[in-house]
């Protein structure tokens, strides 16, 4: 089944959330509640009816092709209600804009997921893989995507909930795995299905927020999770450990990092740091060192002086040929931004 060149929205879901966050004066001193941003999650408040959290598609099957769609002003883009049992789905050349929760969820059991050449703009958590039982989801291939949060989104959503905006929400919620059928499942020796969860050659620029919203035990690594050849710009790797609110950190060795270029978005911030840079990578001191042409205007082409040019390394088990440059936009690329919606040329 192919779903292409569609325009899908739940307007004004995101706009309402932005207005409420402003009206309530959300700040670091006065954090927001889930009700301000997720009021359309009716089941979240005990209602049994269907809600906005179900996303654009339901019960996706085998080899679905989802491309060149404009998905905007929504709670979820493609949620677990659609992705949970999918096999071999391709999600590419879409724009996910102004998303209150997750743009794409694999969650419980999605298999052989390919997510590439999408533009994710102003999303709370761009990609979510919350393992909630066996078999684990995977393999997952997430590559050549651009993730960008505007300053307005960053400032308003940084304290909208207990975590703030992130690029990747990954792991196992210990609360979920402590009950029901999952209580007896081992919480150690966790391994993503071969060849793994592979996140490579992506570009992330967040004015604030963090790269990871990690779930589960920070001391328990998940094998076969790789982040390679990415450009990561954000003020935090992940929110510092805070047991009361369920925050976790990314200790050395939890995931594998390789040849990433990382930098803080603002002065005086630590940024993703050396852990996210990984082997052969580099933690830069400021965003200008990345060498983008004009990131403020969403021009992520690399200038001749960029340290990302020609430095991408081969990712074994990648479904596509090796890229030359670190990051999503390669020299000579013309696909970005994707041409989406009913009026886009084929």
């Amino acid at each position: 089944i192919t779903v292409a060149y569609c325009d899908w929205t739940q307007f004004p879901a995101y706009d309402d959330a932005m207005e409420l966050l402003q009206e309530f004066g959300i700040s670091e001193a006065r954090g927001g509640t889930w009700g301000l941003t997720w009021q359309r999650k009716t089941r979240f408040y005990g209602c049994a009816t269907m809600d906005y959290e179900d996303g654009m598609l339901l019960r996706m099957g085998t080899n679905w092709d989802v491309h060149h769609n404009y998905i905007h002003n929504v709670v979820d883009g493609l949620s677990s209600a659609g992705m949970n049992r999918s096999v071999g789905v391709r999600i590419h050349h879409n724009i996910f804009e102004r998303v209150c929760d997750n743009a794409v969820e694999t969650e419980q059991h999605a298999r052989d997921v390919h997510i590439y050449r999408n533009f994710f703009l102003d999303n709370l958590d761009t990609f979510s893989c919350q393992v909630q039982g066996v078999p684990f989801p995977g393999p997952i291939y997430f590559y050549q995507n651009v993730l960008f949060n505007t300053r307005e989104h960053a400032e308003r959503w940084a304290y909208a909930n207990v975590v703030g905006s992130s690029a990747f929400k990954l792991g196992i919620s210990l609360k979920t795995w402590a009950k029901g059928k999952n209580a007896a499942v081992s919480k150690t020796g966790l391994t993503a299905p071969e060849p793994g969860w592979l996140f490579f050659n992506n570009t992330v620029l967040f004015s604030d927020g963090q790269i990871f919203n990690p779930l589960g035990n920070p001391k328990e690594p998940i094998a076969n999770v790789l982040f390679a050849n990415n450009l990561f710009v954000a003020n935090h790797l992940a929110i510092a450990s805070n047991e009361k609110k369920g925050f976790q950190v990314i200790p050395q060795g939890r995931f594998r990092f390789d040849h990433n270029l990382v930098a803080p978005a603002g002065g005086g911030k630590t940024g993703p740091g050396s852990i996210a840079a990984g082997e052969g990578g580099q933690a830069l001191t400021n965003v200008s060192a990345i060498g983008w042409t004009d990131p403020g205007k969403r021009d992520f082409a690399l200038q001749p002086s960029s340290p990302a040019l020609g430095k991408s390394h081969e990712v074994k088990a990648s479904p596509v040929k090796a890229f030359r440059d670190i990051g999503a936009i390669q020299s000579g690329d013309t696909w970005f931004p994707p041409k989406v919606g009913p009026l886009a040329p084929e």
Side-chain angles (χ1 to χ4, degrees), residues 224-280:
N224 290 343
V225 180
L226 172 68
F227 292 87
N229 304 320
N230 298 292
L231 294 175
F232 286 159
V233 174
N235 283 335
H236 309 282
L237 176 61
I239 292 294
S241 181
N242 183 324
E243 187 177 85
K244 181 179 179 181
K245 293 184 177 180
F247 296 153
Q248 303 290 355
V249 295
I250 306 290
Q252 192 82 40
R254 185 172 188 187
F255 303 134
R256 186 157 65 93
F257 297 95
D258 186 22
H259 288 91
N260 300 300
L261 288 182
V262 306
K269 302 294 185 179
T270 58
S274 59
I275 290 179
E279 183 179 353

Side-chain angles (χ1 to χ4, degrees), residues 77-112:
L78 296 172
S79 78
S80 59
M83 291 285 292
N84 182 28
R85 296 288 182 177
S86 66
V87 179
V89 64
R90 264 63 176 172
I91 302 167
H92 60 98
H93 295 91
N94 304 284
I95 294 179
F96 296 82
E97 182 175 357
R98 297 164 73 87
V99 179
C100 297
D101 192 7
N102 306 308
V104 178
E105 300 176 348
T106 60
E107 310 309 45
Q108 297 94 320
H109 310 294
R111 291 185 288 142
D112 192 24

Side-chain angles (χ1 to χ4, degrees), residues 268-331:
K269 302 294 185 179
T270 58
S274 59
I275 290 179
E279 183 179 353
Q282 188 176 1
L284 305 171
T285 57
N286 60 75
V287 63
S288 63
I290 295 286
W292 284 316
T293 298
D294 194 344
K297 295 183 178 179
R298 305 173 192 176
D299 185 350
F300 296 102
L302 298 171
Q303 300 182 70
S305 60
S306 171
L309 284 173
K311 297 298 178 62
S312 184
H313 283 238
E314 182 181 4
V315 174
K316 294 181 180 180
S318 166
V320 295
K321 67 178 183 179
F323 295 104
R324 178 181 181 273
D325 305 323
I326 294 176
I329 308 300
Q330 303 295 298
S331 300

Side-chain angles (χ1 to χ4, degrees), residues 83 88-92 111-116 118 139-143 319-320:
M83 291 285 292
V89 64
R90 264 63 176 172
I91 302 167
H92 60 98
R111 291 185 288 142
D112 192 24
V113 180
H114 298 250
I115 304 170
Y116 58 95
N118 299 284
I140 297 169
Y141 307 95
F142 189 101
Y143 60 94
V320 295

